[in-house]
Amino acid sequence: MIKTDILIIGAGPTGLFAVFEAGLLKLKCHLIDALPQAGGQCSELYPKKPIYDIPGFPEVLAGDLVDNLMEQIKPFQPGFTLGERAETIEKLEDGTFVVTTSKGTQHNAPVVAIAGGLGSFEPRKPQLENLAKFEDKGVTYMIKDPEIYRNKRVVIAGGGDSALDWSIFLADVAAEVTLVHRRNEFRGALDSVEKVQHLKDTGKIRLITPAEVIGLQGADALESVIIRKTTNAAEDIMLETDHFIPLFGLSPKLGPIADWGLEIEKNAIKVNNALDYQTNIPGVYAIGDVNTYPGKLKLILCGFHEATLMCQSAYQRIFPDKKYVMKYTTVGGVTGFDGSKKEAPKAVVKAIE
């Protein structure tokens, strides 16, 4: 059985930053994630997509943010159980919790912090008869490495930010980009809509609206798609392509966590935001996009704040008789469990002769 001070369910940015804040308090962390690598959605869905609202970074790629967080927490030597989903939780007589994963791995900790983002999620798939046949053979639901599409023909379907952003990005990567949307109006950022319009006007992408992809064709792999203009069903278009990427969003689900006795509201975990983001089960916290409270904003920077306060509360729970005196890292530095020490250089005092 794996024992730790704080068991974190979810290894996205919020969960990773919680390791750093816990480390400053000399608390060890272990993380569980159903994905095969750390980073959550930033690694799985959009590693090459820029993020603009991380303090101190005018622009940072999602994958680079994860890399930086992993480097930041390295001195605190967190443990990871990856590729396994947290299934059950049991409270023991000593007040600690045992969380068992889908593969039977057991973890024991006095504090559990759920940082599962949107929870387990699945892409919303179009209703196409032979869709499954071409999955991973030309049909994908997320873009991990844009270089896969270098000099390829790509058809993107969707009308939200992801469809617009990737159409813009791939215009300089793919040989040919076609964006298909069932309406003439898009529901993405105005700036993105204007960029797509400009790319269309300059011939860098093809825009087909209002229209839908109604069929896929190919032998062993995708070779073409059938597009139907909704204003004139008689004019179906057969378009040769190497890749079809339907970007219709994700369907989030809490998964087994929904059966843990937590108070749930609209597929999110209710927490006490007036104090420490604790759930209705003492000792179990929820931080990041997985939680909800009045005024909640689903932003990474808000998750960082929630992780910080959660760790302070966790320290008091684990050591009720100790009083923690907060020291700024600019004063106390950062001492890792690996023996490393980061601190500002000390001023040299020299007597005047």
Side-chain angles (χ1 to χ4, degrees), residues 21 25 307-317 324 326:
E21 289 296 323
L25 301 172
T308 304
L309 296 190
M310 178 278 295
C311 288
Q312 296 287 324
S313 177
Y315 181 90
Q316 294 301 321
R317 181 174 180 82
Y324 174 73
M326 190 184 81

Side-chain angles (χ1 to χ4, degrees), residues 125-132 139 212-216 226 244 246:
K125 301 180 181 182
Q127 298 298 312
L128 298 175
E129 183 178 350
N130 56 350
L131 184 67
V139 173
E212 292 183 273
V213 174
I214 63 167
L216 308 176
I226 306 299
F244 173 50

Side-chain angles (χ1 to χ4, degrees), residues 154 156 163-180 186 192-208:
V154 179
I156 295 175
L164 292 167
D165 291 346
W166 281 118
S167 295
I168 295 166
F169 188 95
L170 293 179
D172 292 324
V173 175
E176 183 180 286
V177 175
T178 301
L179 176 59
V180 181
F186 290 86
S192 297
V193 175
E194 292 176 345
K195 285 181 180 178
V196 166
Q197 183 65 49
H198 175 72
L199 290 170
K200 177 205 170 190
D201 293 342
T202 55
K204 295 204 68 174
I205 69 171
R206 181 190 290 114
L207 183 62
I208 304 178

Side-chain angles (χ1 to χ4, degrees), residues 34-52:
L35 297 175
Q37 73 284 321
Q41 294 181 62
C42 286
S43 295
E44 184 71 7
L45 296 183
Y46 45 86
K48 301 297 183 181
K49 195 170 182 179
I51 302 175
Y52 301 105

Side-chain angles (χ1 to χ4, degrees), residues 40-76:
Q41 294 181 62
C42 286
S43 295
E44 184 71 7
L45 296 183
Y46 45 86
K48 301 297 183 181
K49 195 170 182 179
I51 302 175
Y52 301 105
D53 59 356
I54 302 299
F57 290 90
E59 176 181 333
V60 60
L61 296 181
D64 291 343
L65 174 63
V66 171
D67 291 342
N68 290 342
L69 286 166
M70 291 293 287
E71 182 65 24
Q72 185 179 26
I73 67 176
K74 188 176 179 180
F76 298 118

Side-chain angles (χ1 to χ4, degrees), residues 4 6 8 15-16 18-20 27-31 69-70 72-81 337:
T4 191
I6 302 178
I8 302 172
L16 294 177
V19 174
F20 176 78
L27 300 177
K28 291 281 289 183
C29 292
H30 191 95
L31 301 94
L69 286 166
M70 291 293 287
Q72 185 179 26
I73 67 176
K74 188 176 179 180
F76 298 118
Q77 301 177 317
F80 289 91
T81 299
F337 298 152

